[in-house]
mmCIF file with all atom_site columns, all heavy atoms in Angstrom:
data_model
loop_
_atom_site.group_PDB
_atom_site.id
_atom_site.type_symbol
_atom_site.label_atom_id
_atom_site.label_alt_id
_atom_site.label_comp_id
_atom_site.label_asym_id
_atom_site.label_entity_id
_atom_site.label_seq_id
_atom_site.pdbx_PDB_ins_code
_atom_site.Cartn_x
_atom_site.Cartn_y
_atom_site.Cartn_z
_atom_site.occupancy
_atom_site.B_iso_or_equiv
_atom_site.pdbx_formal_charge
_atom_site.auth_seq_id
_atom_site.auth_comp_id
_atom_site.auth_asym_id
_atom_site.auth_atom_id
_atom_site.pdbx_PDB_model_num
ATOM 1   N N   . SER H 1 359 ? 42.833 -1.982  -28.272 1.00 98.00 ? 377 SER H N   1
ATOM 2   C CA  . SER H 1 359 ? 42.671 -1.169  -27.069 1.00 98.00 ? 377 SER H CA  1
ATOM 3   C C   . SER H 1 359 ? 41.788 -1.861  -26.048 1.00 98.00 ? 377 SER H C   1
ATOM 4   O O   . SER H 1 359 ? 42.113 -1.927  -24.855 1.00 98.00 ? 377 SER H O   1
ATOM 5   C CB  . SER H 1 359 ? 42.081 0.197   -27.442 1.00 98.00 ? 377 SER H CB  1
ATOM 6   O OG  . SER H 1 359 ? 41.775 0.947   -26.281 1.00 98.00 ? 377 SER H OG  1
ATOM 7   N N   . CYS H 1 360 ? 40.674 -2.414  -26.501 1.00 98.00 ? 378 CYS H N   1
ATOM 8   C CA  . CYS H 1 360 ? 39.738 -3.081  -25.595 1.00 98.00 ? 378 CYS H CA  1
ATOM 9   C C   . CYS H 1 360 ? 40.358 -4.313  -24.963 1.00 98.00 ? 378 CYS H C   1
ATOM 10  O O   . CYS H 1 360 ? 40.332 -4.484  -23.734 1.00 98.00 ? 378 CYS H O   1
ATOM 11  C CB  . CYS H 1 360 ? 38.466 -3.464  -26.351 1.00 98.00 ? 378 CYS H CB  1
ATOM 12  S SG  . CYS H 1 360 ? 37.325 -4.499  -25.401 1.00 98.00 ? 378 CYS H SG  1
ATOM 13  N N   . THR H 1 361 ? 40.924 -5.187  -25.778 1.00 98.00 ? 379 THR H N   1
ATOM 14  C CA  . THR H 1 361 ? 41.432 -6.467  -25.265 1.00 98.00 ? 379 THR H CA  1
ATOM 15  C C   . THR H 1 361 ? 42.643 -6.280  -24.353 1.00 98.00 ? 379 THR H C   1
ATOM 16  O O   . THR H 1 361 ? 42.819 -7.033  -23.393 1.00 98.00 ? 379 THR H O   1
ATOM 17  C CB  . THR H 1 361 ? 41.788 -7.416  -26.418 1.00 98.00 ? 379 THR H CB  1
ATOM 18  O OG1 . THR H 1 361 ? 42.670 -6.746  -27.337 1.00 98.00 ? 379 THR H OG1 1
ATOM 19  C CG2 . THR H 1 361 ? 40.533 -7.842  -27.170 1.00 98.00 ? 379 THR H CG2 1
ATOM 20  N N   . GLN H 1 362 ? 43.473 -5.278  -24.629 1.00 98.00 ? 380 GLN H N   1
ATOM 21  C CA  . GLN H 1 362 ? 44.633 -5.061  -23.773 1.00 98.00 ? 380 GLN H CA  1
ATOM 22  C C   . GLN H 1 362 ? 44.269 -4.311  -22.497 1.00 98.00 ? 380 GLN H C   1
ATOM 23  O O   . GLN H 1 362 ? 44.751 -4.639  -21.413 1.00 98.00 ? 380 GLN H O   1
ATOM 24  C CB  . GLN H 1 362 ? 45.730 -4.319  -24.546 1.00 98.00 ? 380 GLN H CB  1
ATOM 25  C CG  . GLN H 1 362 ? 46.354 -5.161  -25.649 1.00 98.00 ? 380 GLN H CG  1
ATOM 26  C CD  . GLN H 1 362 ? 47.525 -4.484  -26.340 1.00 98.00 ? 380 GLN H CD  1
ATOM 27  O OE1 . GLN H 1 362 ? 47.693 -3.271  -26.268 1.00 98.00 ? 380 GLN H OE1 1
ATOM 28  N NE2 . GLN H 1 362 ? 48.330 -5.280  -27.029 1.00 98.00 ? 380 GLN H NE2 1
ATOM 29  N N   . ARG H 1 363 ? 43.376 -3.327  -22.603 1.00 98.00 ? 381 ARG H N   1
ATOM 30  C CA  . ARG H 1 363 ? 42.960 -2.577  -21.410 1.00 98.00 ? 381 ARG H CA  1
ATOM 31  C C   . ARG H 1 363 ? 42.228 -3.484  -20.422 1.00 98.00 ? 381 ARG H C   1
ATOM 32  O O   . ARG H 1 363 ? 42.380 -3.347  -19.210 1.00 98.00 ? 381 ARG H O   1
ATOM 33  C CB  . ARG H 1 363 ? 42.069 -1.395  -21.803 1.00 98.00 ? 381 ARG H CB  1
ATOM 34  C CG  . ARG H 1 363 ? 41.601 -0.577  -20.614 1.00 98.00 ? 381 ARG H CG  1
ATOM 35  C CD  . ARG H 1 363 ? 40.718 0.583   -21.035 1.00 98.00 ? 381 ARG H CD  1
ATOM 36  N NE  . ARG H 1 363 ? 41.440 1.564   -21.835 1.00 98.00 ? 381 ARG H NE  1
ATOM 37  C CZ  . ARG H 1 363 ? 40.944 2.757   -22.186 1.00 98.00 ? 381 ARG H CZ  1
ATOM 38  N NH1 . ARG H 1 363 ? 39.710 3.082   -21.820 1.00 98.00 ? 381 ARG H NH1 1
ATOM 39  N NH2 . ARG H 1 363 ? 41.644 3.589   -22.919 1.00 98.00 ? 381 ARG H NH2 1
ATOM 40  N N   . GLU H 1 364 ? 41.446 -4.406  -20.952 1.00 98.00 ? 382 GLU H N   1
ATOM 41  C CA  . GLU H 1 364 ? 40.670 -5.303  -20.089 1.00 98.00 ? 382 GLU H CA  1
ATOM 42  C C   . GLU H 1 364 ? 41.433 -6.589  -19.745 1.00 98.00 ? 382 GLU H C   1
ATOM 43  O O   . GLU H 1 364 ? 40.850 -7.524  -19.194 1.00 98.00 ? 382 GLU H O   1
ATOM 44  C CB  . GLU H 1 364 ? 39.350 -5.667  -20.782 1.00 98.00 ? 382 GLU H CB  1
ATOM 45  C CG  . GLU H 1 364 ? 38.463 -4.475  -21.117 1.00 98.00 ? 382 GLU H CG  1
ATOM 46  C CD  . GLU H 1 364 ? 38.010 -3.717  -19.881 1.00 98.00 ? 382 GLU H CD  1
ATOM 47  O OE1 . GLU H 1 364 ? 37.897 -4.357  -18.813 1.00 98.00 ? 382 GLU H OE1 1
ATOM 48  O OE2 . GLU H 1 364 ? 37.776 -2.499  -19.978 1.00 98.00 ? 382 GLU H OE2 1
ATOM 49  N N   . LYS H 1 365 ? 42.726 -6.640  -20.082 1.00 97.00 ? 383 LYS H N   1
ATOM 50  C CA  . LYS H 1 365 ? 43.601 -7.771  -19.753 1.00 97.00 ? 383 LYS H CA  1
ATOM 51  C C   . LYS H 1 365 ? 43.123 -9.078  -20.385 1.00 97.00 ? 383 LYS H C   1
ATOM 52  O O   . LYS H 1 365 ? 43.393 -10.166 -19.872 1.00 97.00 ? 383 LYS H O   1
ATOM 53  C CB  . LYS H 1 365 ? 43.716 -7.952  -18.228 1.00 97.00 ? 383 LYS H CB  1
ATOM 54  C CG  . LYS H 1 365 ? 44.078 -6.694  -17.463 1.00 97.00 ? 383 LYS H CG  1
ATOM 55  C CD  . LYS H 1 365 ? 45.418 -6.127  -17.901 1.00 97.00 ? 383 LYS H CD  1
ATOM 56  C CE  . LYS H 1 365 ? 45.788 -4.898  -17.084 1.00 97.00 ? 383 LYS H CE  1
ATOM 57  N NZ  . LYS H 1 365 ? 47.039 -4.244  -17.574 1.00 97.00 ? 383 LYS H NZ  1
ATOM 58  N N   . LEU H 1 366 ? 42.449 -8.972  -21.507 1.00 98.00 ? 384 LEU H N   1
ATOM 59  C CA  . LEU H 1 366 ? 42.032 -10.167 -22.238 1.00 98.00 ? 384 LEU H CA  1
ATOM 60  C C   . LEU H 1 366 ? 43.161 -10.676 -23.125 1.00 98.00 ? 384 LEU H C   1
ATOM 61  O O   . LEU H 1 366 ? 43.266 -11.875 -23.385 1.00 98.00 ? 384 LEU H O   1
ATOM 62  C CB  . LEU H 1 366 ? 40.791 -9.860  -23.074 1.00 98.00 ? 384 LEU H CB  1
ATOM 63  C CG  . LEU H 1 366 ? 39.557 -9.427  -22.274 1.00 98.00 ? 384 LEU H CG  1
ATOM 64  C CD1 . LEU H 1 366 ? 38.464 -8.925  -23.209 1.00 98.00 ? 384 LEU H CD1 1
ATOM 65  C CD2 . LEU H 1 366 ? 39.045 -10.582 -21.429 1.00 98.00 ? 384 LEU H CD2 1
ATOM 66  N N   . LEU H 1 367 ? 43.966 -9.752  -23.625 1.00 98.00 ? 385 LEU H N   1
ATOM 67  C CA  . LEU H 1 367 ? 45.173 -10.090 -24.370 1.00 98.00 ? 385 LEU H CA  1
ATOM 68  C C   . LEU H 1 367 ? 46.340 -9.298  -23.783 1.00 98.00 ? 385 LEU H C   1
ATOM 69  O O   . LEU H 1 367 ? 46.158 -8.149  -23.356 1.00 98.00 ? 385 LEU H O   1
ATOM 70  C CB  . LEU H 1 367 ? 45.018 -9.742  -25.853 1.00 98.00 ? 385 LEU H CB  1
ATOM 71  C CG  . LEU H 1 367 ? 44.121 -10.660 -26.694 1.00 98.00 ? 385 LEU H CG  1
ATOM 72  C CD1 . LEU H 1 367 ? 44.017 -10.128 -28.124 1.00 98.00 ? 385 LEU H CD1 1
ATOM 73  C CD2 . LEU H 1 367 ? 44.651 -12.091 -26.697 1.00 98.00 ? 385 LEU H CD2 1
ATOM 74  N N   . PRO H 1 368 ? 47.538 -9.865  -23.766 1.00 96.00 ? 386 PRO H N   1
ATOM 75  C CA  . PRO H 1 368 ? 48.689 -9.142  -23.216 1.00 96.00 ? 386 PRO H CA  1
ATOM 76  C C   . PRO H 1 368 ? 49.218 -8.103  -24.207 1.00 96.00 ? 386 PRO H C   1
ATOM 77  O O   . PRO H 1 368 ? 48.959 -8.185  -25.415 1.00 96.00 ? 386 PRO H O   1
ATOM 78  C CB  . PRO H 1 368 ? 49.709 -10.251 -22.993 1.00 96.00 ? 386 PRO H CB  1
ATOM 79  C CG  . PRO H 1 368 ? 49.373 -11.272 -24.034 1.00 96.00 ? 386 PRO H CG  1
ATOM 80  C CD  . PRO H 1 368 ? 47.879 -11.228 -24.186 1.00 96.00 ? 386 PRO H CD  1
ATOM 81  N N   . GLU H 1 369 ? 49.936 -7.152  -23.671 1.00 95.00 ? 387 GLU H N   1
ATOM 82  C CA  . GLU H 1 369 ? 50.638 -6.205  -24.532 1.00 95.00 ? 387 GLU H CA  1
ATOM 83  C C   . GLU H 1 369 ? 51.872 -6.895  -25.100 1.00 95.00 ? 387 GLU H C   1
ATOM 84  O O   . GLU H 1 369 ? 52.288 -7.966  -24.644 1.00 95.00 ? 387 GLU H O   1
ATOM 85  C CB  . GLU H 1 369 ? 51.020 -4.964  -23.736 1.00 95.00 ? 387 GLU H CB  1
ATOM 86  C CG  . GLU H 1 369 ? 49.812 -4.177  -23.229 1.00 95.00 ? 387 GLU H CG  1
ATOM 87  C CD  . GLU H 1 369 ? 50.212 -2.900  -22.522 1.00 95.00 ? 387 GLU H CD  1
ATOM 88  O OE1 . GLU H 1 369 ? 51.425 -2.604  -22.469 1.00 95.00 ? 387 GLU H OE1 1
ATOM 89  O OE2 . GLU H 1 369 ? 49.318 -2.199  -22.015 1.00 95.00 ? 387 GLU H OE2 1
ATOM 90  N N   . LEU H 1 370 ? 52.455 -6.281  -26.129 1.00 94.00 ? 388 LEU H N   1
ATOM 91  C CA  . LEU H 1 370 ? 53.678 -6.834  -26.722 1.00 94.00 ? 388 LEU H CA  1
ATOM 92  C C   . LEU H 1 370 ? 54.868 -6.515  -25.828 1.00 94.00 ? 388 LEU H C   1
ATOM 93  O O   . LEU H 1 370 ? 54.911 -5.473  -25.164 1.00 94.00 ? 388 LEU H O   1
ATOM 94  C CB  . LEU H 1 370 ? 53.894 -6.267  -28.120 1.00 94.00 ? 388 LEU H CB  1
ATOM 95  C CG  . LEU H 1 370 ? 52.788 -6.580  -29.129 1.00 94.00 ? 388 LEU H CG  1
ATOM 96  C CD1 . LEU H 1 370 ? 53.099 -5.910  -30.458 1.00 94.00 ? 388 LEU H CD1 1
ATOM 97  C CD2 . LEU H 1 370 ? 52.626 -8.079  -29.309 1.00 94.00 ? 388 LEU H CD2 1
ATOM 98  N N   . ALA H 1 371 ? 55.822 -7.407  -25.805 1.00 90.00 ? 389 ALA H N   1
ATOM 99  C CA  . ALA H 1 371 ? 56.989 -7.255  -24.932 1.00 90.00 ? 389 ALA H CA  1
ATOM 100 C C   . ALA H 1 371 ? 57.920 -6.164  -25.442 1.00 90.00 ? 389 ALA H C   1
ATOM 101 O O   . ALA H 1 371 ? 58.049 -5.944  -26.653 1.00 90.00 ? 389 ALA H O   1
ATOM 102 C CB  . ALA H 1 371 ? 57.736 -8.576  -24.836 1.00 90.00 ? 389 ALA H CB  1
ATOM 103 N N   . THR H 1 372 ? 58.555 -5.462  -24.498 1.00 83.00 ? 390 THR H N   1
ATOM 104 C CA  . THR H 1 372 ? 59.607 -4.520  -24.857 1.00 83.00 ? 390 THR H CA  1
ATOM 105 C C   . THR H 1 372 ? 60.867 -5.315  -25.191 1.00 83.00 ? 390 THR H C   1
ATOM 106 O O   . THR H 1 372 ? 60.908 -6.540  -25.044 1.00 83.00 ? 390 THR H O   1
ATOM 107 C CB  . THR H 1 372 ? 59.898 -3.566  -23.691 1.00 83.00 ? 390 THR H CB  1
ATOM 108 O OG1 . THR H 1 372 ? 60.373 -4.350  -22.578 1.00 83.00 ? 390 THR H OG1 1
ATOM 109 C CG2 . THR H 1 372 ? 58.629 -2.821  -23.265 1.00 83.00 ? 390 THR H CG2 1
ATOM 110 N N   . GLN H 1 373 ? 61.894 -4.612  -25.614 1.00 71.00 ? 391 GLN H N   1
ATOM 111 C CA  . GLN H 1 373 ? 63.131 -5.297  -25.985 1.00 71.00 ? 391 GLN H CA  1
ATOM 112 C C   . GLN H 1 373 ? 63.728 -6.046  -24.793 1.00 71.00 ? 391 GLN H C   1
ATOM 113 O O   . GLN H 1 373 ? 64.238 -7.167  -24.928 1.00 71.00 ? 391 GLN H O   1
ATOM 114 C CB  . GLN H 1 373 ? 64.143 -4.289  -26.535 1.00 71.00 ? 391 GLN H CB  1
ATOM 115 C CG  . GLN H 1 373 ? 65.393 -4.952  -27.120 1.00 71.00 ? 391 GLN H CG  1
ATOM 116 C CD  . GLN H 1 373 ? 66.286 -3.952  -27.832 1.00 71.00 ? 391 GLN H CD  1
ATOM 117 O OE1 . GLN H 1 373 ? 65.993 -2.762  -27.857 1.00 71.00 ? 391 GLN H OE1 1
ATOM 118 N NE2 . GLN H 1 373 ? 67.374 -4.430  -28.398 1.00 71.00 ? 391 GLN H NE2 1
ATOM 119 N N   . GLU H 1 374 ? 63.634 -5.441  -23.605 1.00 66.00 ? 392 GLU H N   1
ATOM 120 C CA  . GLU H 1 374 ? 64.173 -6.087  -22.415 1.00 66.00 ? 392 GLU H CA  1
ATOM 121 C C   . GLU H 1 374 ? 63.318 -7.301  -22.026 1.00 66.00 ? 392 GLU H C   1
ATOM 122 O O   . GLU H 1 374 ? 63.841 -8.350  -21.648 1.00 66.00 ? 392 GLU H O   1
ATOM 123 C CB  . GLU H 1 374 ? 64.225 -5.088  -21.252 1.00 66.00 ? 392 GLU H CB  1
ATOM 124 C CG  . GLU H 1 374 ? 65.312 -4.039  -21.385 1.00 66.00 ? 392 GLU H CG  1
ATOM 125 C CD  . GLU H 1 374 ? 66.698 -4.666  -21.434 1.00 66.00 ? 392 GLU H CD  1
ATOM 126 O OE1 . GLU H 1 374 ? 66.961 -5.589  -20.619 1.00 66.00 ? 392 GLU H OE1 1
ATOM 127 O OE2 . GLU H 1 374 ? 67.514 -4.262  -22.280 1.00 66.00 ? 392 GLU H OE2 1
ATOM 128 N N   . GLU H 1 375 ? 61.999 -7.123  -22.124 1.00 64.00 ? 393 GLU H N   1
ATOM 129 C CA  . GLU H 1 375 ? 61.107 -8.215  -21.748 1.00 64.00 ? 393 GLU H CA  1
ATOM 130 C C   . GLU H 1 375 ? 61.211 -9.381  -22.720 1.00 64.00 ? 393 GLU H C   1
ATOM 131 O O   . GLU H 1 375 ? 60.821 -10.507 -22.392 1.00 64.00 ? 393 GLU H O   1
ATOM 132 C CB  . GLU H 1 375 ? 59.661 -7.717  -21.699 1.00 64.00 ? 393 GLU H CB  1
ATOM 133 C CG  . GLU H 1 375 ? 59.380 -6.758  -20.548 1.00 64.00 ? 393 GLU H CG  1
ATOM 134 C CD  . GLU H 1 375 ? 58.000 -6.137  -20.648 1.00 64.00 ? 393 GLU H CD  1
ATOM 135 O OE1 . GLU H 1 375 ? 57.491 -5.988  -21.789 1.00 64.00 ? 393 GLU H OE1 1
ATOM 136 O OE2 . GLU H 1 375 ? 57.427 -5.796  -19.604 1.00 64.00 ? 393 GLU H OE2 1
ATOM 137 N N   . SER H 1 376 ? 61.715 -9.108  -23.927 1.00 63.00 ? 394 SER H N   1
ATOM 138 C CA  . SER H 1 376 ? 61.826 -10.171 -24.929 1.00 63.00 ? 394 SER H CA  1
ATOM 139 C C   . SER H 1 376 ? 62.867 -11.212 -24.544 1.00 63.00 ? 394 SER H C   1
ATOM 140 O O   . SER H 1 376 ? 62.875 -12.332 -25.062 1.00 63.00 ? 394 SER H O   1
ATOM 141 C CB  . SER H 1 376 ? 62.202 -9.576  -26.291 1.00 63.00 ? 394 SER H CB  1
ATOM 142 O OG  . SER H 1 376 ? 61.192 -8.698  -26.737 1.00 63.00 ? 394 SER H OG  1
ATOM 143 N N   . LYS H 1 377 ? 63.755 -10.861 -23.613 1.00 59.00 ? 395 LYS H N   1
ATOM 144 C CA  . LYS H 1 377 ? 64.813 -11.793 -23.204 1.00 59.00 ? 395 LYS H CA  1
ATOM 145 C C   . LYS H 1 377 ? 64.266 -12.749 -22.141 1.00 59.00 ? 395 LYS H C   1
ATOM 146 O O   . LYS H 1 377 ? 64.673 -12.736 -20.987 1.00 59.00 ? 395 LYS H O   1
ATOM 147 C CB  . LYS H 1 377 ? 66.009 -11.018 -22.660 1.00 59.00 ? 395 LYS H CB  1
ATOM 148 C CG  . LYS H 1 377 ? 66.606 -10.050 -23.675 1.00 59.00 ? 395 LYS H CG  1
ATOM 149 C CD  . LYS H 1 377 ? 67.674 -9.162  -23.040 1.00 59.00 ? 395 LYS H CD  1
ATOM 150 C CE  . LYS H 1 377 ? 68.210 -8.154  -24.034 1.00 59.00 ? 395 LYS H CE  1
ATOM 151 N NZ  . LYS H 1 377 ? 69.234 -7.253  -23.399 1.00 59.00 ? 395 LYS H NZ  1
ATOM 152 N N   . VAL H 1 378 ? 63.320 -13.551 -22.564 1.00 55.00 ? 396 VAL H N   1
ATOM 153 C CA  . VAL H 1 378 ? 62.694 -14.485 -21.631 1.00 55.00 ? 396 VAL H CA  1
ATOM 154 C C   . VAL H 1 378 ? 63.301 -15.863 -21.817 1.00 55.00 ? 396 VAL H C   1
ATOM 155 O O   . VAL H 1 378 ? 63.879 -16.171 -22.859 1.00 55.00 ? 396 VAL H O   1
ATOM 156 C CB  . VAL H 1 378 ? 61.162 -14.562 -21.871 1.00 55.00 ? 396 VAL H CB  1
ATOM 157 C CG1 . VAL H 1 378 ? 60.513 -13.243 -21.551 1.00 55.00 ? 396 VAL H CG1 1
ATOM 158 C CG2 . VAL H 1 378 ? 60.877 -15.000 -23.300 1.00 55.00 ? 396 VAL H CG2 1
ATOM 159 N N   . ASN H 1 379 ? 63.162 -16.674 -20.804 1.00 48.00 ? 397 ASN H N   1
ATOM 160 C CA  . ASN H 1 379 ? 63.671 -18.043 -20.857 1.00 48.00 ? 397 ASN H CA  1
ATOM 161 C C   . ASN H 1 379 ? 62.645 -18.905 -21.566 1.00 48.00 ? 397 ASN H C   1
ATOM 162 O O   . ASN H 1 379 ? 61.661 -19.313 -20.978 1.00 48.00 ? 397 ASN H O   1
ATOM 163 C CB  . ASN H 1 379 ? 63.929 -18.556 -19.435 1.00 48.00 ? 397 ASN H CB  1
ATOM 164 C CG  . ASN H 1 379 ? 64.559 -19.935 -19.444 1.00 48.00 ? 397 ASN H CG  1
ATOM 165 O OD1 . ASN H 1 379 ? 64.783 -20.516 -20.507 1.00 48.00 ? 397 ASN H OD1 1
ATOM 166 N ND2 . ASN H 1 379 ? 64.847 -20.455 -18.266 1.00 48.00 ? 397 ASN H ND2 1
ATOM 167 N N   . ILE H 1 380 ? 62.860 -19.171 -22.850 1.00 54.00 ? 398 ILE H N   1
ATOM 168 C CA  . ILE H 1 380 ? 61.875 -19.899 -23.638 1.00 54.00 ? 398 ILE H CA  1
ATOM 169 C C   . ILE H 1 380 ? 61.824 -21.382 -23.280 1.00 54.00 ? 398 ILE H C   1
ATOM 170 O O   . ILE H 1 380 ? 60.996 -22.113 -23.791 1.00 54.00 ? 398 ILE H O   1
ATOM 171 C CB  . ILE H 1 380 ? 62.162 -19.737 -25.148 1.00 54.00 ? 398 ILE H CB  1
ATOM 172 C CG1 . ILE H 1 380 ? 63.538 -20.287 -25.497 1.00 54.00 ? 398 ILE H CG1 1
ATOM 173 C CG2 . ILE H 1 380 ? 62.019 -18.304 -25.577 1.00 54.00 ? 398 ILE H CG2 1
ATOM 174 C CD1 . ILE H 1 380 ? 63.811 -20.303 -26.991 1.00 54.00 ? 398 ILE H CD1 1
#
Side-chain angles (χ1 to χ4, degrees):
S377 174
C378 172
T379 53
Q380 292 185 341
R381 180 180 295 189
E382 301 298 331
K383 309 300 182 185
L384 299 170
L385 286 177
E387 296 184 2
L388 299 178
T390 62
Q391 188 172 2
E392 287 299 316
E393 291 172 331
S394 298
K395 301 172 183 178
V396 295
N397 184 359
I398 61 173

